[in-house]
Amino acid sequence: MDYSDKRLLIISNNVLSYTQDNGKTILSFFDSVPKECVRQLYFSGENPGVSGYKYFQISDNDIIKGVFSRKRRGRAYADVNSDVEVSSFAHNQARKKTALMRLIRECLWYKKWISDQLINWLDEYKPTAIFFVAGDSLFAYQITEFIRYRYKSSLSVFITDDYVMPRTNESFLSRYRREKVLESMKKCVTDADQFFTVSEPMRQAYLKLFNKDSHKIVNMTESMKLNGNDESKENDKTTLIYAGGLYYGREDVLGSIGKVISQYNSAGPSKKAFLKIYTNQKPDQALLDKINIPDASSFCGSLDRSQLAVELNNSDILVFVESSDPLQKEKTRFSLSTKVTEYLSLGKPIFAVGPSDIGSMDYLFDVAECVFDESEIEDVLKRLLENTERQNQLGILAKQKYEKYHNKEAIQNQLLSLVFQEGDKQDND
């Protein structure tokens, strides 16, 4: 593709990243595009960690500081000197915000994000295409609309999580805010040139909701398979690894798995099992008490991408979990975790626990040992631990699915042709 006349602006909450889920996913879409043809406007407090791009950051703190001075409303990063791998708890899960706090935040942002430095940064670039990661911040829709009309840019909208479907037991303020987000999202999707979602359940639900079909796209991660790491280094035990977030009830499922492993080990098997848990969060003591089971499971800290690749390659079984709690399902039912693609690329057996009607479990159904009822964890996991032939079979299935559906070059070319409006639109599979 000729990029000489193409200028892409990514608008999202999270900055491009090698380690953080949303930033990592967005980077995987566009890392083949010349860096001078890609810029990012983002709204979190994270510092850029991927070199070669130009960024503009506006955070909540900038809005507060900029109440009386437009000059303090954000900043441009001309370049990042070197790539940064996050190997600590630098980006912990933010403190949970109530509906009232979020509405107050929207009031603070309303028409307070405009500044001379942002307009100058945009005017110098004049984006021809916008890739907007649509979330639940109303101001982000207003900013995207302003930029699109100012520069007559094409617009691609990407939705990674569900923010607009009805919730159980939501308060009046939560419902009011959700309906306002839905209103903004519907207008944005209707006006968009391209519409992207992350899973088949999300695609089907949003087709009904917005009366507009979408293209499915997922994290296009490079394979995490390392040469010479086909066997676990801990041959005296079966090593299971979970790498991901400890929220949305996942910690409870991991605790259940740890207890099952403890019971399994106490029966004196020929080869004991152990679950290692890695996350970029910093767990509090209550959470640690749930997931640390003596001689069975343990929180092992935070890893950068290269360290994680080594650990995953040295494992025997990869663990994926989601909660079956109805309130937690509402948050995850349409999502497709970035870990799914990474796990598949390793060609190792995957043990997945979660409800059958959510995006990630639906995607893993034909290639993983899936448990849809947590009461069955013990029986299914025990059979898997004792059946190396089944483990090998699942590893082959995972590798085949990765190679068939996650060919990065082919999928990326299709995505870029849509974002930059070149060629025919691709059909959904």
Side-chain angles (χ1 to χ4, degrees), residues 16 18 27 35 48-55 78-84:
L16 299 178
Y18 290 114
L27 179 62
K35 292 186 175 182
V50 181
S51 65
Y53 297 101
K54 292 186 178 180
Y55 305 87
D79 192 14
V80 180
N81 292 328
S82 61
D83 292 336
V84 177

Side-chain angles (χ1 to χ4, degrees), residues 127-174:
T128 60
I130 295 170
F131 187 83
F132 174 44
V133 184
D136 64 345
S137 297
L138 294 172
F139 62 81
Y141 293 90
Q142 298 159 5
I143 294 171
T144 299
E145 184 177 38
F146 170 86
I147 295 173
R148 185 194 185 195
Y149 282 101
R150 183 178 181 90
Y151 304 104
K152 304 297 187 291
S153 312
S154 64
L155 174 62
S156 297
V157 176
F158 177 42
I159 304 176
T160 63
D161 290 294
D162 176 55
Y163 304 100
V164 296
M165 301 300 277
R167 298 291 196 260
T168 303
N169 300 326
E170 62 182 344
S171 66
F172 171 78
L173 286 179
S174 295

Side-chain angles (χ1 to χ4, degrees), residues 71-293:
K71 293 181 180 180
R72 305 188 74 177
R73 296 176 184 171
R75 67 202 53 78
Y77 288 91
D79 192 14
V80 180
N81 292 328
S82 61
D83 292 336
V84 177
E85 286 274 15
V86 179
S87 58
S88 64
F89 302 110
H91 301 304
N92 294 336
Q93 185 76 356
R95 183 164 60 94
K96 185 177 181 180
K97 297 181 175 68
T98 65
L100 178 59
M101 292 171 63
R102 291 180 180 276
L103 287 171
I104 293 173
R105 181 189 186 217
E106 296 291 352
C107 293
L108 290 173
W109 274 81
Y110 186 67
K111 293 186 178 180
K112 296 296 190 299
W113 50 268
I114 298 176
S115 66
D116 292 340
Q117 59 264 35
L118 173 60
I119 298 302
N120 291 338
W121 186 80
L122 291 167
D123 281 348
E124 185 268 328
Y125 188 54
K126 294 182 174 63
T128 60
I130 295 170
F131 187 83
F132 174 44
V133 184
D136 64 345
S137 297
L138 294 172
F139 62 81
Y141 293 90
Q142 298 159 5
I143 294 171
T144 299
E145 184 177 38
F146 170 86
I147 295 173
R148 185 194 185 195
Y149 282 101
R150 183 178 181 90
Y151 304 104
K152 304 297 187 291
S153 312
S154 64
L155 174 62
S156 297
V157 176
F158 177 42
I159 304 176
T160 63
D161 290 294
D162 176 55
Y163 304 100
V164 296
M165 301 300 277
R167 298 291 196 260
T168 303
N169 300 326
E170 62 182 344
S171 66
F172 171 78
L173 286 179
S174 295
R175 184 172 67 254
Y176 171 78
R177 184 175 174 279
R178 178 179 57 78
E179 290 173 350
K180 298 299 291 185
V181 173
L182 174 59
E183 183 180 306
S184 294
M185 184 180 287
K186 187 171 185 177
K187 182 180 186 305
C188 188
V189 167
T190 300
D191 293 344
D193 299 287
Q194 303 294 344
F195 177 31
F196 299 98
T197 50
V198 297
S199 68
E200 186 60 23
M202 179 183 281
R203 177 193 170 200
Q204 295 294 339
Y206 282 14
L207 173 59
K208 294 178 181 178
L209 184 63
F210 298 128
N211 195 31
K212 185 171 184 175
D213 204 357
S214 60
H215 301 269
K216 293 175 296 179
I217 52 172
V218 297
N219 186 338
M220 301 175 196
T221 182
E222 299 286 357
S223 175
M224 297 190 75
K225 186 71 174 177
L226 302 177
N227 293 330
N229 288 82
D230 293 328
E231 301 293 338
S232 170
K233 289 183 178 178
E234 299 186 73
N235 293 316
D236 61 325
K237 69 174 68 172
T238 301
T239 302
L240 299 89
I241 284 186
Y242 171 82
L246 298 178
Y247 40 85
Y248 296 150
R250 294 168 185 147
E251 68 278 14
D252 295 319
V253 185
L254 290 170
S256 297
I257 294 174
K259 291 175 183 176
V260 167
I261 292 175
S262 178
Q263 294 171 0
Y264 176 80
N265 289 342
S266 66
S270 59
K271 193 174 184 181
K272 289 188 176 183
F274 193 85
L275 171 62
K276 295 182 176 181
I277 299 169
Y278 294 97
T279 182
N280 282 334
Q281 294 171 254
K282 189 172 184 178
D284 58 24
Q285 190 58 49
L287 194 152
L288 289 173
D289 290 342
K290 288 183 180 181
I291 62 177
N292 286 340
I293 310 297

Side-chain angles (χ1 to χ4, degrees), residues 324-364:
S324 295
D325 179 87
L327 295 178
Q328 302 300 344
K329 277 180 59 177
E330 290 178 347
K331 303 170 186 175
T332 62
R333 58 180 168 172
F334 295 147
S335 302
L336 182 61
S337 171
T338 57
K339 287 299 170 205
V340 169
T341 309
E342 294 177 343
Y343 279 10
L344 292 175
S345 75
L346 291 153
K348 289 181 176 289
I350 300 171
F351 179 69
V353 180
S356 61
D357 54 347
I358 66 171
S360 295
M361 292 297 293
D362 176 74
Y363 197 76
L364 287 170

